[in-house]
Amino acid sequence: MNRNISLYEAIGGAESLRRIVESFYPKVQEHELLGPLFPDNILPVMEKQIMFLTQFFGGPMLFSDEYGHPMMRARHMPFPITPKHAEAWLDCMRRALQEVSGLDEELQSYIIERLSGPAHHFVNTPE
Ligand code: HEM
């Protein structure tokens, strides 16, 4: 992977990120552990996630510009998140990355590696 460009650019920018997020949330909604945590209308969550991941991967600061400091762990506190939820979230993301064409395997693993830290950091409830 070319380490001189941002992960956002390596992924393919706005269009690819949108495709990833649009592939990810239906998997989350269908997941028996994750689905019940999310509202039926997933569109606003998708839009926020696109904005957040854009900046998390080194693109424009879309989320902070609109909503202020991300404080992502705090934003997840209302939801009971166990280590199993974190693994399930990452697994849905792994499958979304596989589904979206054009991302080589090294890039896919690197994205998951970068998201593993936050996912486990958001755990706030024991199994
Ligand atoms: C560890 C497992 C995770 C679970 C179970 C989880 C669950 C949730 C839930 C239930 C919401 C609120 C949906 C609503 O608006 O009602 C949410 C929002 C969000 N999550 Fe997660 N999440 C997880 C991990 C992550 C990770 C790893 C990231 C990004 C690195 C992330 C980014 C976001 C963002 C950007 C929002 C929108 C925040 C806002 O409303 O301002 N989540 N998540």
Side-chain angles (χ1 to χ4, degrees), residues 34 37-39 45 48-49 52-53 63 72 75-76 79 81 85-86 89 115 118-119 122:
L34 301 175
L37 298 179
F38 286 83
V45 183
K48 283 182 172 177
Q49 186 64 275
F52 180 75
L53 290 180
F63 187 91
M72 270 304 148
R75 286 184 204 262
H76 285 81
F79 311 99
I81 300 182
H85 286 92
W89 192 102
L115 291 170
F122 300 163

Side-chain angles (χ1 to χ4, degrees), residues 5-7 11 14 38 49 53 61 65 75 82 86 90-93 112:
I5 61 170
S6 67
L7 190 48
I11 289 168
F38 286 83
Q49 186 64 275
L53 290 180
M61 299 296 283
D65 286 352
R75 286 184 204 262
T82 67
L90 290 166
D91 197 56
C92 290
M93 185 55 80
I112 292 298

Side-chain angles (χ1 to χ4, degrees), residues 56-122:
F56 184 74
F57 292 149
M61 299 296 283
L62 301 182
F63 187 91
S64 294
D65 286 352
E66 183 83 18
Y67 302 109
H69 193 288
M71 303 179 301
M72 270 304 148
R73 189 168 196 276
R75 286 184 204 262
H76 285 81
M77 276 314 239
F79 311 99
I81 300 182
T82 67
K84 273 204 178 113
H85 286 92
E87 281 309 316
W89 192 102
L90 290 166
D91 197 56
C92 290
M93 185 55 80
R94 217 172 267 125
R95 289 188 285 128
L97 293 170
Q98 274 166 12
E99 210 170 87
V100 169
S101 59
L103 304 172
D104 67 42
E105 279 181 29
E106 193 195 354
L107 183 57
Q108 293 179 31
S109 318
Y110 185 63
I111 295 168
I112 292 298
E113 206 180 295
R114 289 289 308 273
L115 291 170
S116 295
H120 287 283
H121 180 62
F122 300 163

